[in-house]
Amino acid sequence: MMMTTKRIGVFLSSKENLPEPYTQATLALGELIGRTGRTLVYGGARKGLMEVLAQQVKRHGGKVMGMVPDILVQRGLVSDAIDIEFRCADLSDRKAAMVRESDVLVALPGGIGTLDEVFTVLGNTCIGIERKPMVLLNVNDCWTPLLQCLDRLFEEGLISGQPADYYSVAHNVHELETLLG
């Protein structure tokens, strides 16, 4: 899937002290977004990989659009790297805003929130609400078990079509850059 993109929505972890390959991929993605003059659309947190990504985009000349749920404001966790801030009521509102404002969505390693975001995009594609390009950045084989599960669901006929109808997979930022065009 070749796509031309200006705004790249990124789903990722806000956790600290994660495996080094996750941090390195996050830095490489931030450098790519900034270097190519694109805009990051992300969750707005000043924590973990989210902050690493936003600061790296800024460092390399890109713009940062933060979708900030009220709870981040209340906890004082809004990143100072944000150029354009959208306030959101909650995580569902944030997810909807990210999808709306992004040309493509990329999932770096993340937890339950990231999975929720990915499955919302895939579900919207499945039932025809909206088809947004979704790329799973399979750093350190983080998404391999999920991809195997999805393959099984396709094989069993529980999901219509083929995996490529719903998502692409990149194993590193170089592959992602090729997909983004």
Side-chain angles (χ1 to χ4, degrees):
M1 156 184 8
M2 196 68 166
M3 54 195 93
T4 303
T5 57
K6 297 277 186 211
R7 292 182 177 176
I8 300 175
V10 180
F11 303 134
L12 74 165
S13 180
S14 64
K15 299 287 186 204
E16 308 283 343
N17 302 315
L18 294 172
E20 187 61 23
Y22 298 169
T23 302
Q24 292 305 315
T26 302
L27 289 167
L29 179 55
E31 188 268 334
L32 169 65
I33 294 170
R35 171 178 51 81
T36 58
R38 293 180 167 115
T39 299
L40 167 66
V41 180
Y42 86 122
R46 183 177 37 88
K47 287 183 64 182
L49 294 181
M50 283 191 181
E51 182 67 359
V52 169
L53 180 62
Q55 292 295 337
Q56 186 76 338
V57 169
K58 293 295 287 187
R59 196 173 295 120
H60 289 277
K63 289 196 176 168
V64 176
M65 183 181 291
M67 305 302 171
V68 180
D70 290 338
I71 195 158
L72 287 184
V73 176
Q74 294 164 7
R75 292 181 178 171
L77 293 173
V78 179
S79 176
D80 63 1
I82 297 172
D83 297 303
I84 303 164
E85 182 177 321
F86 283 84
R87 290 287 174 95
C88 306
D90 54 29
L91 296 180
S92 294
D93 189 27
R94 174 173 81 178
K95 180 175 44 179
M98 285 183 66
V99 171
R100 181 185 66 242
E101 295 297 327
S102 300
D103 298 317
V104 62
L105 296 147
V106 175
L108 278 164
I112 292 170
T114 302
L115 287 170
D116 174 55
E117 293 159 338
V118 167
F119 278 106
T120 294
V121 173
L122 298 181
N124 285 343
T125 297
C126 182
I127 62 174
I129 291 174
E130 181 176 30
R131 180 174 170 74
K132 287 277 180 151
M134 175 85 243
V135 181
L136 298 171
L137 190 51
N138 196 19
V139 179
N140 211 29
D141 288 319
C142 176
W143 296 125
T144 297
L146 174 64
L147 293 166
Q148 291 168 339
C149 177
L150 289 170
D151 285 345
R152 169 100 192 259
L153 296 174
F154 279 106
E155 289 168 10
E156 297 289 328
L158 295 166
I159 301 173
S160 300
Q162 295 297 314
D165 297 335
Y166 296 89
Y167 57 85
S168 298
V169 178
H171 295 91
N172 55 57
V173 173
H174 177 72
E175 287 182 12
L176 176 62
E177 185 171 13
T178 300
L179 287 173
L180 295 176

